[in-house]
Amino acid sequence: MTVPNTVYIIIFLMLLALPFVTDSRTLLIMFTQIFLFAIFAMSYDILLGYTGIVSFGHAMFFGIGAYSTGIILKQYDSTIPMLLMAVLVGAVIAGIVSYVVGMLSLRLKSHFYAMLTLAFSGLFLVLAEKWRTLTYGNDGFTFSIPDPLRDRLNLYLLSLILMVIIFLLLKRFTHSPLGRVLQAIRENEDRTESLGYNVLHYKVIASVVAGVFASFAGSLYVLTLRFVNTSVFAVDVTLDALLMTIIGGVGTLIGAIIGAGLIEFAHHWLSDLAKVHWIFERWIIFFGILYIVVVMFFPQGIVGTIRLWWSRRKGTQIRVRKEKNISS
Amino acid sequence: MDVLVNLTVNGLATGMLIFLLAAGLTLIFGLMDVLNFAHGGLFAWGAFSGVWVYSATGSFMVGIIAAIGTGLILGLALERFIIQPVYGNHVQQILITLGVMLVLSEMIKVVFGPNQISARTPSYLSGSWEFGDIIIIKYRLFIIIIGTLVFGAIFYTLRNTKIGLIVRAGVINKEMVQALGINIKRVFMLVFMAGAAMAALGGMLLGPYSGVIYAEMGLEFGILAFIVVVIGGMGSITGSVLAAILVGLSGSFMAYFVPDLALAVNMLLMTIVLIFRPQGLFGVKG
């Protein structure tokens, strides 16, 4: 099933018009959150969905972007050029870190990599807690942002447009010959290796691309909060990306966006329900159970399942991603 | 001298607690090729149920039995409903057990409340012995003894019993064991339950050792156990006991001599080991 481009354009125009038809600040903030988490989830999907790498340390890059932006805007002027520099610094650091971590651990089997990234992001969390002169530890710090972005509407539009640009960029990336190699690695690593591709090299590229875009999401995130603390490095942030990608549908960028929308929306909605019954305060349980069910029964996620259903209805065969055994 | 002895005892005690957690992890991985990210959740559940029963009944031993029971039951349920459907698929295993971890630690907050719970040492294990300048805290010695006993029991079972033979054979070739008429699925389940029970025991023993238990400790110690398993070499019991002691000792010595490095020392250890020996100190698989 291919959705006609006009549908995407219509949705984009509707989202663009949204702030001009509603005054709801909460809605505006929620959608801004959805856009930036969609960027984060798309970057995670490059790893999980397109290359078949499970990382548990994606929060590390989100946090690097968040802290770089926060620290630079706090220490220097909060002007637009300074912001651009901050975002760039975050992206460069994220790129270097993802390169080093990738080179160190991507030659290992999938589960070692998952563990190592979990431990590495734990290291960053400790660093942010201990380096108090720079990060103010667990309490975090507030900072001011450039004037034009103080307006919620501008921030909303910026996030929306950035999301679309990054979507198009990543779509281009995944459809490039390089992206095809990544998908080949996902499908069968040994075969790709025996075809003469240097698998490690390509995996590291995927990890750097994912790290840099995750850092953008982190920068945007702290811009909406004007505050940063160690929670940006928490495992929960990685889990959010995982949930969004898996529920939306792995291996499809649009799935990551839908997943981000669903999770953020459900988060707000379930948190509101906490007034009705205390159990909803523990909404993570519902997500956890939903997530387990999705991994077990709908490994393709929403988008993948719909695609499968659609192709069955039309009676055409579609190549289904085979679940495979990564290591033997 | 006295400082060195005290640090060593501390390190050994922490190491033995981590070993209880890592032993199950490495056995499950070695035999079933399953990386159980929910293992820390079993640890936390053992701690909470054990300490809860302990404070309700006043008997430490009953608390320990309750913790082990919780581990066995949770292990059984996990293996049957979560792990079995995803055998052979690593990515799905990693994803699904992480989800279980999430649910397990949130469920602790629902059942036992969101606050941390304090745990006291039973009267007969509190206090310490003094030999000149050397102070040996009884409870730490108790943990070391229990850890050594558990290690001895696993080692003996693996080396000298029929079930140990089956497990060792299963690690090498599952299909062959199955072909010989042994129900390997039953063996998987038993090993998983034993691993879960050890994790739960570790959690319970940690309670009085650290004084407080909290829902997030599952993930925290889970990561530590993974580090130990990676350093020791996946699937090797001897490797995990030595790595656990190494991690425990270096943690306690670093905390005393170079406190700034203490939190990073495990990561550094693991990174160094992985660079020079990706299969771990005692690992055989590359």
Side-chain angles (χ1 to χ4, degrees), chain A residues 56 119 239 291 295-296 325 327, chain B residues 81 88 92 95 98 102 267:
Chain A
F56 283 158
L239 286 177
Y291 164 84
V295 172
M296 255 189 189
N325 194 350
S327 82
Chain B
F81 297 110
Q92 255 191 321
L95 295 176
L98 193 81
L102 206 65
M267 278 299 307

Side-chain angles (χ1 to χ4, degrees), chain A residues 54 56 104 107-112 114-116 118-120 123 126 130 235 239 242 246 278-279 282 284-285 288-289 291-292 295-296 323-327, chain B residues 29 35 37 81-82 85 88-92 94-96 98-100 102-103 106-107 109-110 114 219 223 226 230 234 263-264 267 270-271 274-275 278 286:
Chain A
V54 185
F56 283 158
L104 266 179
R107 62 206 162 96
L108 303 167
K109 284 184 192 167
S110 57
H111 37 261
F112 285 92
M115 257 188 284
L116 270 171
L118 189 63
F120 270 114
L123 202 62
V126 169
K130 295 283 157 187
V235 187
L239 286 177
L242 237 172
I246 298 250
W278 63 270
I279 190 86
R282 300 265 154 264
I284 292 179
I285 291 181
I289 293 169
Y291 164 84
I292 292 170
V295 172
M296 255 189 189
E323 292 312 315
K324 43 129 203 188
N325 194 350
I326 288 247
S327 82
Chain B
F29 180 81
L35 196 76
F37 270 90
F81 297 110
I82 303 290
N89 187 326
H90 276 142
V91 173
Q92 255 191 321
I94 296 175
L95 295 176
I96 207 161
L98 193 81
V100 174
L102 206 65
V103 174
E106 280 298 308
M107 283 301 278
K109 294 184 191 160
V110 172
L219 195 64
I223 294 175
F226 282 133
V230 170
M234 300 210 114
L263 283 161
M267 278 299 307
M270 179 169 75
T271 315
L274 278 175
I275 290 171

Side-chain angles (χ1 to χ4, degrees), chain A residues 115, chain B residues 18 21-23 25 39 220-230:
Chain A
M115 257 188 284
Chain B
I18 305 169
L21 194 54
L25 206 59
H39 211 66
E220 211 173 281
F221 276 84
I223 294 175
L224 210 56
F226 282 133
I227 293 178
V228 162
V229 169
V230 170

Side-chain angles (χ1 to χ4, degrees), chain A residues 118-246:
Chain A
L118 189 63
F120 270 114
S121 72
L123 202 62
F124 271 91
L125 182 63
V126 169
L127 188 71
E129 263 166 21
K130 295 283 157 187
W131 199 349
R132 297 192 71 90
T133 47
L134 199 63
T135 63
Y136 299 87
N138 207 5
D139 307 330
F141 57 91
T142 56
F143 55 91
S144 53
I145 61 171
D147 279 330
L149 294 178
R150 289 178 163 276
D151 188 8
R152 289 278 168 201
L153 173 67
N154 286 350
L155 209 54
Y156 171 92
L157 294 174
L158 176 75
S159 313
L160 173 62
I161 289 165
L162 266 179
M163 179 185 79
V164 173
I165 292 174
I166 289 176
F167 171 74
L168 294 173
L169 273 177
L170 288 179
K171 201 172 172 65
R172 190 76 204 80
F173 173 73
T174 53
H175 282 74
S176 69
L178 199 151
R180 296 290 179 204
V181 177
L182 295 182
Q183 288 168 53
I185 292 173
R186 178 192 73 194
E187 296 301 329
N188 191 333
E189 194 170 331
D190 295 335
R191 193 177 297 168
T192 316
E193 180 103 59
S194 63
L195 282 172
Y197 291 103
N198 182 349
V199 169
L200 174 66
H201 174 72
Y202 286 97
K203 278 182 166 179
V204 170
I205 291 178
S207 136
V208 170
V209 169
V212 167
F213 283 104
S215 144
F216 285 156
S219 296
L220 264 180
Y221 178 71
V222 290
L223 278 185
T224 63
L225 291 186
R226 301 172 200 179
F227 169 75
V228 56
N229 73 353
T230 49
S231 68
V232 290
F233 278 121
V235 187
D236 309 29
V237 177
T238 305
L239 286 177
D240 276 344
L242 237 172
L243 285 173
M244 289 165 183
T245 325
I246 298 250

Side-chain angles (χ1 to χ4, degrees), chain B residues 17 20 43 46 64 67-68 146 150 196-206:
Chain B
L17 280 179
L20 287 175
F43 181 75
I64 286 186
I68 293 177
I146 295 270
V150 170
M198 273 190 279
L201 172 66
M204 169 64 195
L205 292 180
L206 177 83

